[in-house]
Amino acid sequence: MLQGHQSWQFENKPVIISASSVVGPDESEGPLAEEFDIGHGDLMIGQKSWEQAEKKLLEDAATHAIERANLTKEQIQFYIGGDLMNQTISNGFAARTLGIPYLGVFGACSTSMESLALAAHIVNAGSAKYVMAGTCSHNCTSEKQFRYPTEYGSQKPPTAQYTVTGAGVAIVAPQGEGPVVTRATIGRVVDMGITDPFNMGAAMAPAAVETIGAHFRDFCITPGYYDLIVTGDLGQVGYDIANALFEKHRFPIGETEYKDCGLMIYDRTKQTFVNSGGSGCACSATVTYGHLLKQLKRGALNRILVVATGALFSPLSFQQGESIPCIAHAVAIENGGGST
Amino acid sequence: MLQGHQSWQFENKPVIISASSVVGPDESEGPLAEEFDIGHGDLMIGQKSWEQAEKKLLEDAATHAIERANLTKEQIQFYIGGDLMNQTISNGFAARTLGIPYLGVFGACSTSMESLALAAHIVNAGSAKYVMAGTCSHNCTSEKQFRYPTEYGSQKPPTAQYTVTGAGVAIVAPQGEGPVVTRATIGRVVDMGITDPFNMGAAMAPAAVETIGAHFRDFCITPGYYDLIVTGDLGQVGYDIANALFEKHRFPIGETEYKDCGLMIYDRTKQTFVNSGGSGCACSATVTYGHLLKQLKRGALNRILVVATGALFSPLSFQQGESIPCIAHAVAIENGGGST
């Protein structure tokens, strides 16, 4: 199933038989509010800490996706997940609750598509009947871990992004009702020397463009093959840079529609606190598993390429003067299993 | 290639065509010193920080393994790796240096076998020609991140373990000279309620026993099939608990030899500072890729099962009063590809 140098073609057509998206209060007031399965009115989700709240979002999304597939958690053979927390505790503790054999992954905000690519790979190879992929993030756990104590309410530059509170989960199976995962391209780390953690969009945009280019090279197709190409969480700054890079490299992105999940999830004219747009593992996960899969089901879209982007730095690497290495993983999801 | 509920049989016999192990000063004075490929006399490895030193260990092991396989890094299609650092920066930054398409994983000290299982899975499925799996840890980066500022020199209880400074890397290919990865079992999270981060062996032992039991159930074989079963880093405390659990569950472990990498890498009678034994991602990785693969090559061993154990907690989850969720992943490595 290898295609080109860094891509997989899933010829056995693994199906996303079920998915779920759970979000917090700000996402429940954004333009996609109606698309998410569960929206919470407060950031604590009835828990005692933000960390427990983040884990609860993930557990709820997983439980909901499993129920929607008419399965029990005992039938899910592998759970692939990760998050932004140190030692990915949200997923580790959720995997304890769920009791499903667990493969932890870390790709920062690219985790959504890294986990989906691996889930599709395992199902396509005949190595499982049901595999679950999921990820989550929480605005307050990220703020306190990556930036400043949340209570400071420190001001941010307009290039900053706002971490999505939410979780997204998908269940992949060899057959069933639903869109098909047709292809995946695994990204390389790209680092253009940006050291400002309040400008992640600029840091991540070149990684997205690199993976999108590799995808089209490996499969010998052009952007026009897809109805929509969507990046994970570049925000306005990164989105503009990505467009400029496409133009610079004479890449025919104009053949198709190009959007960014970080620009879709909030209304930046009203929710001005999000600055450049949404970010976090849950950004691409909730927009993909909430909104985009429903657009595929409605027939408003038929072929999409989701390119989740991640910044692989830590507060410590930043403090030690390192720049921000970034990565992007691309997964194609199609109605009817694609044409190739 | 699914076998039982949570295991894979690699019927296409993916081969470990090359491996490398790099260690620090304490490991270079232990009983396996001669087995490691590179031994460093100081903890800084010529770098400016311990974090850079940890990354350098991994880069050196990767470069050495690639050269030993007569390959260039451009020929390696996927790199699967992770480590203990927040946001797994050692691997993220090494993936930047190497430029290989990168799948980040996190299983704490079980990362060694999680990455090898996934590498073997990808090669077995025909999804790559060369896949590299690797991990690393450094005593000082772990001390400062998980325990106390290193300069304190705080005293430890005898149940504590000593994080191995080192890195281990393996390259898996569809054919070639070397031992074969024949099977893998992916673990569930097991949490027996232990909250003491200075007693990780006790926390992790039940996860190891759970995965070993699942492995033999899934494949309908008994421990006597293997010449050696080796756990990752239970240390003396966890090793004794694992043995007691085998006995309690009437598990016929006595049919085969059972060891623990954390007890093999140091001489606890002379290196008393290691207390209960070695730990860290590099513990099972360096003992497996350094010592055990050489024992397979010499014919001293023919069939081994490596059961890497990991504690999926963080300092924050500990501070918030959570117990320590643990996991173990098992990978079988055999001369000649096994009999099944």
Side-chain angles (χ1 to χ4, degrees), chain A residues 121-322:
Chain A
H121 184 277
I122 288 170
V123 169
N124 188 69
S127 304
K129 197 158 176 201
Y130 301 112
V131 180
M132 191 165 76
T135 188
C136 57
S137 55
H138 191 293
N139 186 273
C140 300
T141 63
S142 275
E143 281 297 311
K144 76 184 247 202
Q145 181 178 278
F146 286 106
R147 297 170 195 125
Y148 295 101
T150 320
E151 293 77 2
Y152 278 14
S154 62
Q155 279 203 313
K156 300 210 169 105
T159 54
Q161 292 176 242
Y162 190 80
T163 306
V164 167
T165 299
V169 164
I171 296 174
V172 183
Q175 63 259 324
E177 284 277 311
V180 172
V181 184
T182 52
R183 301 175 192 84
T185 297
I186 304 304
R188 290 172 209 279
V189 173
V190 175
D191 186 335
M192 302 303 280
I194 287 176
T195 55
D196 178 6
F198 287 111
N199 196 354
M200 306 283 268
M204 295 192 294
V209 173
E210 154 82 19
T211 296
I212 292 170
H215 183 82
F216 289 107
R217 270 197 312 278
D218 277 356
F219 290 104
C220 299
I221 51 177
T222 67
Y225 177 84
Y226 295 106
D227 302 327
L228 174 69
I229 296 174
V230 63
T231 44
D233 54 347
L234 298 184
Q236 191 65 53
V237 174
Y239 181 79
D240 291 344
I241 293 172
N243 272 310
L245 288 172
F246 291 136
E247 197 163 324
K248 186 180 165 191
H249 298 308
R250 300 181 189 281
F251 190 80
I253 193 82
E255 288 180 8
T256 193
E257 196 175 6
Y258 166 48
K259 290 187 179 179
D260 181 70
C261 298
L263 292 173
M264 296 162 78
I265 194 164
Y266 300 118
D267 181 345
R268 290 169 65 239
T269 60
K270 289 179 191 153
Q271 299 174 298
T272 53
F273 54 88
V274 307
N275 289 297
S276 185
S279 67
C281 292
C283 184
S284 58
T286 58
V287 172
T288 302
Y289 299 144
H291 174 57
L292 296 175
L293 291 192
K294 291 193 181 77
Q295 288 290 83
L296 285 161
K297 195 172 184 181
R298 290 175 195 124
L301 294 169
N302 273 306
R303 297 166 172 178
I304 64 171
L305 184 69
V306 184
V307 188
T309 40
L312 305 177
F313 81 123
S314 80
L316 183 64
S317 72
F318 164 71
Q319 286 154 8
Q320 293 186 346
E322 280 281 6

